[in-house]
Amino acid sequence: MLIAQISDFHLKPEGVLAYNVADTATSLKRAVAHLNNLRPLPDLILITGDLVDEGARESYSLLRQILSPLRVPFYMVPGNHDHKKSLQETFPDHRYLQTGIEEQGRRYFCFTLESLPLRLIGLDTVTPGEHGGGLGTTQLAWLEQTLAARPDIPTLLFMHHPPFASAIGHMDGEGFRGWRAFQSLISKQPQVERILCGHLHRPIFRRYAGTI
């Protein structure tokens, strides 16, 4: 499979610049055009959070408009700048966003996509009101059970927050909650071929718990 990853659009409502400097809508339109012109086309696109900047419904409407020309399927997980209910309501056809698990009274979009040659697991690492991310005990138990159900199937995980320190001081100030348990879990699951994350706004590759 050929998979493209895009992330952290931080879209504002139409005509508004992110942080008063960045025309993120134009950047995303260029990314969509670039993806559509790849030869061969990707089999799918994974989007790893911070789709909009402040959770405004107008921003999600613009997001749907800009992503609609994509010629291949795409799947999303939220980031810490997203508003989950607005994301659900804007993309009702993305039925995997209507499922999830509950942890301490909060709903998390954790799901599997089973119909492809590579098994995909989307993890929601976002707790509203927190900049840092992580996984709680219920989410980790769900992940362990989900991985154990098909141990021989090559699997890719995708989520917003990276589960390791990046050496970017202000981003590392709020660490990944549950990182030790997550690392231990992944180290026992050799079928996990890759873990894709967003959040840091730069390309980083590293070995992690026996995967990349």
Side-chain angles (χ1 to χ4, degrees):
M1 291 183 67
L2 185 62
I3 296 174
Q5 179 191 8
I6 50 178
S7 194
D8 290 75
F9 313 144
H10 288 269
L11 280 186
K12 292 282 196 176
E14 186 80 54
V16 180
L17 299 178
Y19 307 102
N20 297 315
V21 293
D23 183 359
T24 51
T26 296
S27 295
L28 181 56
K29 290 173 184 176
R30 289 172 177 165
V32 167
H34 176 77
L35 290 163
N36 281 340
N37 284 309
L38 289 174
R39 296 294 181 273
L41 281 170
D43 295 292
L44 57 86
I45 298 165
L46 298 180
I47 305 176
T48 48
D50 281 356
L51 312 171
V52 308
D53 194 57
E54 294 177 340
R57 290 181 180 274
E58 301 94 325
S59 301
Y60 284 109
S61 296
L62 179 60
L63 174 68
R64 185 173 182 101
Q65 174 188 327
I66 294 174
L67 294 179
S68 62
L70 281 171
R71 296 173 59 193
V72 298
F74 62 92
Y75 302 94
M76 305 172 285
V77 290
N80 51 282
H81 283 261
D82 286 305
H83 185 275
K84 296 181 190 183
K85 187 168 181 57
S86 295
L87 175 60
Q88 282 180 311
E89 292 174 350
T90 306
F91 292 90
D93 49 323
H94 286 243
R95 299 193 62 82
Y96 58 92
L97 294 176
Q98 310 304 319
T99 63
I101 61 176
E102 192 167 300
E103 174 100 29
Q104 294 185 349
R106 297 185 177 95
R107 198 76 175 163
Y108 292 89
F109 302 155
C110 296
F111 56 88
T112 63
L113 302 169
E114 305 280 4
S115 61
L116 303 162
L118 181 68
R119 190 184 194 205
L120 302 178
I121 298 179
L123 295 173
D124 179 357
T125 59
V126 176
T127 297
E130 295 182 6
H131 181 262
L135 296 168
T137 54
T138 303
Q139 293 161 283
L140 288 165
W142 175 88
L143 176 60
E144 183 173 25
Q145 182 179 17
T146 300
L147 288 169
R150 303 187 72 187
D152 299 323
I153 304 299
T155 301
L156 181 148
L157 276 56
F158 64 111
M159 57 193 189
H160 183 63
H161 295 89
F164 56 87
S166 65
I168 305 170
H170 69 284
M171 298 299 278
D172 290 342
E174 295 181 76
F176 189 92
R177 180 170 36 82
W179 70 268
R180 287 185 178 86
F182 179 73
Q183 186 176 41
S184 176
L185 193 165
I186 297 301
S187 70
K188 301 169 187 173
Q189 304 289 339
Q191 78 274 28
V192 176
E193 299 285 351
R194 295 289 186 276
I195 302 173
L196 302 185
C197 310
H199 193 55
L200 296 179
H201 295 204
R202 65 199 67 194
I204 297 173
F205 297 85
R206 64 158 291 179
R207 297 291 300 175
Y208 178 85
T211 187
I212 298 173

